[in-house]
């Protein structure tokens, strides 16, 4: 706008100067000025006409070969598209530029600068906390139940249980379990209340025995001789002695019990009907409301722990987040081959994307230009190049004035 005003002012000066010199007395200076102003006026008008004719009809008159840009709008648009596609942003230049980028290294640099700022880390943690809080964990429960049930249906429990049992036995876990059970029984049987309970039970059971003859008399004499305390002490000692025998590694009873336990366990694991029944029971329980409530409770607990950890790290300035990021970067930086392979893959993907979508640049330019009416298009072009074109008008008036002075001098000579 300033350059247009300046051009208009220069043209007005030439016009006023020419008119002013028409009324001055004739002398050499007036003649020279009149010739200069006259030529400057002609040059200014000619350049004004030329510049105006590029964008619109001068004075609204439909003079031939004016409003050139609008008349050649399609050619102009195609020229812009061609320039964008073939010169400014051609496929070769974009692809060559992409080949010079180390995308992973560049991304790591940008992320490192980002995570090095405390405020940025706190904002990331705040966003993560909000995201975790908004997670609809209750909607995930049916999917988890369904996935677990699907896995359980396809799982071969007998084979898995047999493998686990064999591994545990090879590690001696069954023997450890027996020793643990013996320790528990030994501790239980050594209690005073256990002795009293065993004596009471034995006394009651002996009183229920009915024997005749000499055996009955002898048995009744024995029952009358011992009381509940004596029976409890006897039974307690017998249990303790038996447990000590079972604890001995070379005890034949111990080996027999371990063998029977193993046989019973493998018989149980090979019982397909029982395994199938167990699987059906597990499936029913897994798909029930109790399992859903348990899964939901666990998910909510995990979410609460995650939110707590994120909030604690946010208060501390995101140190843990930066430590995790730094650890990840150091770990990735050691994988030179992986980085190179990933770089090539990403670069190849981007180049393929450019090749497949390069034509969209021209489409985008055309769509944006087609959305502009004639007035908007002219205003845009005037904003971009109008300033320099208005200086042509100024230069035309000034140059015309100088040339006019020269021609007047020549005429006087």
């Amino acid at each position: 706008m300033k350059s247009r005003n300046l051009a208009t002012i220069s043209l007005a000066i030439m016009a006023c100067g020419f008119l002013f010199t028409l009324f001055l007395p004739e002398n050499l200076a007036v003649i020279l000025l009149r010739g200069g102003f006259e030529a400057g006026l002609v040059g200014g008008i000619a350049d004004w006409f030329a510049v105006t004719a590029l964008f619109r009809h001068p004075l609204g008159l439909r003079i031939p070969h004016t409003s050139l840009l609008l008349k050649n709008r399609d050619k102009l648009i195609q020229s812009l598209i061609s320039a964008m596609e073939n010169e400014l942003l051609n496929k070769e230049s974009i692809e060559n530029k992409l080949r010079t980028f180390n995308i992973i290294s560049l991304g790591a640099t940008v992320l490192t600068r980002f995570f090095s700022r405390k405020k940025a880390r706190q904002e990331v943690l705040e966003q993560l906390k909000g995201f975790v809080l908004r997670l609809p964990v209750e909607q995930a429960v049916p999917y988890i139940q369904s996935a677990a049930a699907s896995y359980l249906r396809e799982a071969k429990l007998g084979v898995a249980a047999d493998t686990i049992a064999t591994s545990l036995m090879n590690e001696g876990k069954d023997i450890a379990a027996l020793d643990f059970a013996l320790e528990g029984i030994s501790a239980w049987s050594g209690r005073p209340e256990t002795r009293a309970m065993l004596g009471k039970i034995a006394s009651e059971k002996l009183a229920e025995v009915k024997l005749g003859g000499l055996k009955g008399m002898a048995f009744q004499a024995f029952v009358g001789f011992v009381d509940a305390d004596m029976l409890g002490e006897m039974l307690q000692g017998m249990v303790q002695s038996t447990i000590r025998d079972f604890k001995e590694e070379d005890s034949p009873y111990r080996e027999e019990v371990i063998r029977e336990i193993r046989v019973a366990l493998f018989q149980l694991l090979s019982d397909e009907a029982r395994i199938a029944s167990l699987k059906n029971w597990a499936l029913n329980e897994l798909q029930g409301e109790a399992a859903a409530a348990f899964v939901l409770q666990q998910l909510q607990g995990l979410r609460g722990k995650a939110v707590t950890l994120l909030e604690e790290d946010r208060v501390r300035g995101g140190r843990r987040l930066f430590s995790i990021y730094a650890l990840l970067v150091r770990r990735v930086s050691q994988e030179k081959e992986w980085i190179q392979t990933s770089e090539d893959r990403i670069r190849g993907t981007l180049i393929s994307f450019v090749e497949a979508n390069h034509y969209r640049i021209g489409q985008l330019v055309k769509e944006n230009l087609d959305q502009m009416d004639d007035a908007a298009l002219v205003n845009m072009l005037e904003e971009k190049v109008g300033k320099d074109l208005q200086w042509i008008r100024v230069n035309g008036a000034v140059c015309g004035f100088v040339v006019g002075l020269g021609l007047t001098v020549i005429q006087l000579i």
Side-chain angles (χ1 to χ4, degrees):
M1 185 61 67
K2 291 181 179 180
S3 58
R4 179 184 295 180
N5 291 338
L6 182 60
T8 302
I9 291 172
S10 65
L11 182 59
I13 290 174
M14 296 301 157
C16 293
F18 176 70
L19 293 175
F20 184 69
T21 56
L22 292 177
F23 299 98
L24 293 177
E26 293 287 337
N27 55 51
L28 180 59
V30 172
I31 294 173
L32 288 173
L33 288 174
R34 184 186 301 152
F37 283 128
E38 182 180 4
L41 179 61
V42 173
I45 292 175
D47 287 340
W48 166 81
F49 184 89
V51 171
T52 304
L54 286 173
F55 301 101
R56 58 182 61 84
H57 297 293
L59 301 177
L61 302 175
R62 295 187 173 276
I63 303 172
H65 304 292
T66 58
S67 189
L68 299 178
L69 294 178
L70 295 180
K71 286 183 178 180
N72 297 275
R73 177 178 177 135
D74 292 338
K75 292 181 180 179
L76 175 65
I77 292 175
Q78 291 302 323
S79 297
L80 290 174
I81 294 173
S82 177
M84 293 291 292
E85 291 182 341
N86 301 319
E87 297 178 18
L88 301 178
L89 293 174
N90 58 74
K91 287 193 293 186
E92 291 75 15
S93 64
I94 297 176
E95 292 174 2
N96 291 335
K97 195 65 177 177
L98 286 174
R99 289 189 177 94
T100 63
F101 287 156
N102 294 322
I103 300 173
I104 294 180
S105 177
L106 181 61
T109 302
V110 173
L111 285 176
T112 301
R113 291 177 180 174
F114 176 78
F115 280 109
S116 63
R117 301 198 305 269
K118 178 180 178 181
K119 185 176 180 181
R121 296 194 300 269
Q122 289 178 324
E123 290 178 354
V124 170
L125 289 168
E126 186 66 27
Q127 294 298 324
L128 285 175
K129 187 179 75 171
F131 173 77
V132 173
L133 284 172
R134 291 191 297 270
L135 284 176
V137 293
E138 62 280 354
Q139 297 181 11
V141 171
Y143 296 100
I144 294 176
Q145 286 183 286
S146 176
S150 177
Y151 175 80
L152 186 59
R153 289 191 192 96
E154 298 176 1
K156 297 180 179 179
L157 295 184
V159 176
D162 185 87
T163 302
I164 294 172
T166 301
S167 176
L168 291 175
M169 289 180 185
N170 291 334
E171 295 176 3
K173 300 298 183 182
D174 55 338
I175 299 176
L178 176 61
D179 290 336
F180 178 80
L182 291 174
E183 289 291 340
I185 296 173
S186 177
W188 171 80
S189 62
R191 297 173 184 172
E193 58 269 23
T194 304
R195 181 174 64 247
M197 181 188 69
L198 292 174
K200 181 180 180 181
I201 294 174
S203 178
E204 292 175 353
K205 295 302 178 183
L206 288 175
E208 296 175 359
V209 176
K210 303 297 182 183
L211 292 176
L214 294 176
K215 290 183 179 180
M217 293 176 62
F219 181 78
Q220 291 297 326
F222 172 76
V223 171
F225 177 74
V226 296
D227 57 9
D229 291 336
M230 296 176 63
L231 289 172
E233 187 175 355
M234 292 171 59
L235 291 174
Q236 188 179 48
M238 294 171 62
V239 172
Q240 293 286 323
S241 176
T242 304
I243 291 175
R244 284 194 297 269
D245 291 340
F246 275 115
K247 287 183 178 180
E248 296 293 335
E249 293 185 1
D250 56 351
S251 172
Y253 304 111
R254 178 185 177 89
E255 295 295 331
E256 183 69 21
V257 170
I258 293 174
R259 183 167 55 254
E260 290 297 327
I261 290 175
R262 290 177 176 177
V263 170
L265 178 61
F266 280 110
Q267 285 178 346
L268 175 64
L269 296 178
S270 61
D271 189 344
E272 295 183 358
R274 186 164 295 180
I275 294 295
S277 176
L278 179 63
K279 180 184 285 190
N280 291 331
W281 173 82
L283 284 172
N284 292 331
E285 291 296 321
L286 185 60
Q287 296 175 326
E289 294 182 359
F294 174 78
V295 173
L296 178 59
Q297 182 181 9
Q298 298 305 310
L299 291 177
Q300 290 175 339
L302 289 175
R303 180 172 64 180
K305 292 180 180 178
V307 169
T308 301
L309 289 175
L310 291 172
E311 179 60 23
E312 290 177 353
D313 197 31
R314 188 191 68 81
V315 173
R316 296 174 55 194
R319 296 178 183 177
R320 186 178 301 165
L321 176 64
F322 188 78
S323 299
I324 294 174
Y325 169 75
L327 178 63
L328 179 63
V329 170
R330 285 194 295 269
R331 181 66 182 86
V332 171
S333 63
Q334 297 174 1
E335 301 293 335
K336 303 294 183 183
E337 184 177 351
W338 179 86
I339 292 176
Q340 186 60 45
T341 302
S342 300
E343 288 275 7
D344 295 338
R345 187 180 295 114
I346 295 173
R347 191 178 295 112
T349 301
L350 292 176
I351 290 175
S352 299
F353 178 81
V354 170
E355 290 178 349
N357 297 275
H358 183 262
Y359 70 95
R360 297 183 185 276
I361 296 176
Q363 285 185 344
L364 181 61
V365 173
K366 188 175 187 306
E367 290 174 1
N368 290 334
L369 291 176
D370 287 342
Q371 292 176 0
M372 301 174 66
D373 56 19
D374 291 345
L377 180 60
V378 169
N379 289 334
M380 182 193 72
L381 293 173
E382 281 189 311
E383 289 177 0
K384 303 302 179 184
V385 299
K387 181 177 180 179
D388 295 330
L389 293 178
Q390 296 301 327
W391 276 104
I392 292 176
R393 292 175 55 191
V394 176
N395 293 335
V398 175
C399 290
F401 180 79
V402 174
V403 171
L405 291 177
L407 293 176
T408 302
V409 170
I410 294 173
Q411 289 176 356
L412 293 176
I413 295 175

